Amino acid sequence: MKLVLSRKGFDSSYGGIPSPILPDGRLISLPIPSRVDTFTLANINYPDVETGRLISDISKGRFSNTTRVHLDPDLARPAGKRMPQWRPALGQTGSAQSHLANNGIGIGDVFLFFGWFREVEHQNGRWNYRKGAPDLHILFGWLEVADVLPIVTDREAAIQKFPWIADHPHVASPDWYEDKLNTLYVASEKSRFCADSTFGAGRFKSNKAVLQLTKPGCSRSIWSLPKWFFPGERSPLSYHQNLLRWSLEENSLTLKSVAKGQEFVLDSVEYPELESWVSSVIQEGCR
């Protein structure tokens, strides 16, 4: 099994604000704004959260429920927006997909999605980021790969196999997604890690220590990881070949993660602890 730590959602370049952590700990991942997609922030599917007011308040009116977004990874689309037989899926293209392909990402591999989050609070009728709350990189969802579809080079066969992908953002706009690397990763029908999950993919329910990548008290790009992540003589987490980024201490491992790059890959062939760790993260995140 290979793991992909996949950066998704609002960031400093797209959206410009952190996704909110609600007072009860729920993680509201905001997909990046997009002029070419048809889904809006109203479709992010948190049915008991007044997302329009929340998003408008924390963005100071820049975004609202009508803001069009790139709903990808498509992990929890509202039931009324799903075609029959729908499953979660992730699209990727360009240099990020080239990196995934070069690392042989395919059936049986797992994506853990992380993004930029910060706690919010509701006071005097408005949502605001909590004063003094840190900016954090947090894992907010996962996807277990059951199929890999080349959307541009074999579009007809892909849609024939899975008709429900037709309105996925990476499939619905063929005039925009012309790159031959454009690829869709389809989730498994059942999870091998979380028995209670409807699919082999989903969103984590709330913020927990096991989901936080950012080292406490540090900027969000400084991560605290299990000690076994340290590469030593092994192939490191991709894009992190510079060993000066890694600091191995007595009881912890600190990584200065790279600012650029969407997909970071690690292979369980060299890291036998990986699958057990991924399993524990997903199980805890689903509780």
Side-chain angles (χ1 to χ4, degrees), residues 1 19 41 48 52 56 97 103 149 153-154 177 180 182 227 246 264 267 270:
M1 189 198 82
S19 291
L41 283 171
D48 57 342
S56 178
Q97 171 53 30
N103 280 277
L149 306 176
T153 57
D154 204 1
Y177 289 101
K180 292 181 179 179
N182 186 34
K227 290 179 68 175
W246 301 85
F264 308 144
D267 195 333
E270 294 188 88

Side-chain angles (χ1 to χ4, degrees), residues 28 105 117 123 206 256 258:
I28 310 294
I105 301 303
F117 288 85
Q123 290 185 336
S206 63
K256 185 178 180 181
V258 296

Side-chain angles (χ1 to χ4, degrees), residues 10-270:
F10 270 34
D11 58 22
S12 55
S13 299
Y14 299 95
I17 59 173
S19 291
I21 307 171
L22 297 185
D24 63 5
R26 279 179 294 175
L27 301 164
I28 310 294
S29 177
L30 302 178
I32 61 171
S34 172
R35 295 179 179 178
V36 301
D37 291 305
T38 58
F39 288 103
T40 69
L41 283 171
N43 301 134
I44 61 176
N45 195 22
Y46 295 91
D48 57 342
V49 180
E50 193 180 353
T51 54
R53 173 59 63 86
L54 169 64
I55 293 161
S56 178
D57 284 354
I58 62 174
S59 69
K60 302 189 185 305
R62 290 173 53 208
F63 305 112
S64 71
N65 261 350
T66 63
T67 300
R68 288 192 289 173
V69 294
H70 186 62
L71 191 62
D72 189 44
D74 183 13
L75 299 177
R77 186 189 299 202
K81 294 284 186 178
R82 298 179 182 182
M83 295 178 66
Q85 308 302 315
W86 175 91
R87 272 192 256 164
L90 165 72
Q92 193 53 277
T93 190
S95 59
Q97 171 53 30
S98 180
H99 184 66
L100 294 176
N102 289 340
N103 280 277
I105 301 303
I107 296 170
D109 295 332
V110 177
F111 287 84
L112 285 178
F113 302 109
F114 73 93
W116 174 25
F117 288 85
R118 189 179 178 192
E119 293 177 356
V120 297
E121 59 185 3
H122 193 257
Q123 290 185 336
N124 302 319
R126 289 186 59 84
W127 287 100
N128 292 287
Y129 291 108
R130 186 175 65 79
K131 187 175 181 180
D135 292 305
L136 303 169
H137 276 155
I138 296 176
L139 298 167
F140 67 86
W142 91 101
L143 186 146
E144 303 163 42
V145 180
D147 218 321
V148 182
L149 306 176
I151 298 303
V152 172
T153 57
D154 204 1
R155 179 183 177 86
E156 184 176 340
I159 294 178
Q160 184 174 3
K161 185 174 185 179
F162 298 117
W164 55 266
I165 69 172
D167 62 355
H168 186 282
H170 276 254
V171 183
S173 303
D175 293 338
W176 179 259
Y177 289 101
E178 298 177 327
D179 187 345
K180 292 181 179 179
L181 294 175
N182 186 34
T183 300
L184 203 67
Y185 295 87
V186 178
S188 56
E189 292 186 276
K190 290 296 295 182
S191 174
R192 70 179 189 267
F193 301 113
C194 180
D196 295 332
S197 177
T198 306
F199 303 102
R203 298 190 302 216
F204 297 139
K205 292 185 176 180
S206 63
N207 188 25
K208 298 179 180 179
V210 71
L211 303 179
Q212 183 173 313
L213 296 173
T214 299
K215 186 174 183 177
C218 296
S219 65
R220 68 179 182 274
S221 62
I222 306 299
W223 294 357
S224 180
L225 297 171
K227 290 179 68 175
W228 56 262
F229 264 83
F230 186 74
E233 300 299 318
R234 302 175 293 183
S235 302
L237 182 70
S238 62
Y239 289 112
H240 295 84
Q241 289 83 357
N242 186 351
L243 289 182
L244 295 177
R245 290 187 170 275
W246 301 85
S247 178
L248 185 61
E249 295 140 25
E250 184 176 355
N251 296 311
S252 64
L253 172 64
T254 300
L255 171 64
K256 185 178 180 181
S257 65
V258 296
K260 298 295 183 182
Q262 292 185 44
E263 317 288 1
F264 308 144
V265 180
L266 198 68
D267 195 333
S268 65
V269 170
E270 294 188 88

